[in-house]
Amino acid sequence: MDNFVITIARQYGSGGRTVGEMLAKKLGIGYYDKDIIRMASEESGIHETLFGRVDEYSSVKKPLFGKNGIYNGELIPPQSKDFTSDENLFNYQAKIIRQLAEKESCVIIGRCSNYILKDYPNVLRVFIHANWDFRMEKVAEKLSMSTKEIEKFLQKDDKRKDEYCRRFTGQEWKDATQYDLCLDSSKLGYDKCIEEIEYQLNMLKK
């Protein structure tokens, strides 16, 4: 295979983003996280803040199901009143993710990239999770919050990601069948997670 992509979905506090950054650096490949919003904004001409709002508030909106099931990914033209709709904002990001998968080897964090690229043979879809205490500890290292505030923060973030995934893909965010590899960073540690991903990647390349 000429190029490969590793998508990483992760629970907040699991270190999934850190694992992705370390992995990309070790493999000498691209790393994409919020860059996808910037690239989708440049591609569409739609301001970045609108993409951010979809990430933050999509859970309060109804699921994007229609007569044909899940939204099919087509882009809405600029002259349409729905040009800046949530559907179109999601699909501009999906377009960027597909373009990246087709042209270069890289690590992509979140944004339902595991679903967007589910039919691509050169993609390894990873989910990184951790036990509650580990996540609480990691959040406490980054954010000045009380224990109760951290608990609420993590519960809210889990709910947001799950509802975002269900809204745009019709799938459950933490459903193991949506991934090729699920890793518990609180048991394995970051380095071992990277080793496991590399091993599976090498198997994929054969």
Side-chain angles (χ1 to χ4, degrees):
M1 115 182 121
D2 295 330
N3 62 290
F4 58 88
V5 178
I6 302 154
T7 69
I8 298 181
R10 80 280 180 238
Q11 291 180 317
Y12 196 101
S14 68
R17 179 180 278 116
T18 301
V19 169
E21 289 175 329
M22 292 170 63
L23 179 64
K25 184 175 181 180
K26 184 176 182 181
L27 297 176
I29 60 177
Y31 171 86
Y32 296 95
D33 187 357
K34 293 186 183 296
D35 317 74
I36 291 171
I37 287 181
R38 174 184 54 78
M39 295 164 76
S41 174
E42 292 172 354
E43 174 84 14
S44 64
I46 300 171
H47 201 280
E48 284 185 45
T49 55
L50 290 179
F51 287 95
R53 286 175 191 166
V54 175
D55 281 3
E56 238 8 85
Y57 302 113
S58 64
S59 62
V60 300
K61 307 288 184 64
K62 64 182 180 180
L64 294 176
F65 290 96
K67 293 180 180 178
N68 298 319
I70 298 168
Y71 195 80
N72 62 17
E74 292 181 0
L75 295 173
I76 299 170
Q79 61 268 27
S80 170
K81 63 181 177 61
D82 294 323
F83 181 59
T84 58
S85 65
D86 291 354
E87 299 99 306
N88 215 32
L89 295 173
F90 176 82
N91 281 286
Y92 263 107
Q93 293 180 76
K95 179 182 180 182
I96 296 299
I97 288 168
R98 292 184 187 116
Q99 288 175 340
L100 289 171
E102 289 163 6
K103 75 176 183 180
E104 66 175 276
S105 295
C106 59
V107 173
I108 300 176
I109 303 294
R111 310 207 171 279
C112 299
S113 52
N114 63 295
Y115 179 82
I116 293 165
L117 301 177
K118 64 185 177 64
D119 296 323
Y120 283 58
N122 62 333
V123 175
L124 180 66
R125 304 174 302 161
V126 180
F127 183 78
I128 296 180
H129 58 98
N131 67 46
W132 189 257
D133 290 342
F134 182 90
R135 296 174 66 196
M136 289 280 292
E137 182 181 335
K138 291 301 178 183
V139 173
E141 291 173 1
K142 292 203 273 187
L143 305 175
S144 299
M145 293 181 176
S146 67
T147 299
K148 186 171 288 188
E149 287 173 333
I150 292 174
E151 288 178 345
K152 288 182 178 179
F153 174 83
L154 286 176
Q155 289 166 354
K156 182 178 179 181
D157 193 73
D158 282 352
K159 182 180 179 182
R160 177 184 65 82
K161 286 175 180 172
D162 185 57
E163 291 182 339
Y164 181 92
C165 183
R166 281 192 286 112
R167 184 175 186 228
F168 289 106
T169 73
Q171 306 299 317
E172 296 293 329
W173 170 58
K174 292 190 288 186
D175 179 1
T177 65
Q178 303 302 313
Y179 305 95
D180 304 307
L181 184 64
C182 296
L183 300 170
D184 185 341
S185 59
S186 56
K187 290 184 177 180
L188 296 174
Y190 297 166
D191 289 335
K192 186 62 176 177
C193 283
I194 290 171
E195 286 180 22
E196 291 295 330
I197 294 170
E198 285 187 291
Y199 175 78
Q200 293 300 325
L201 183 63
N202 288 332
M203 295 297 290
L204 181 67
K205 288 179 180 179
K206 290 182 179 179

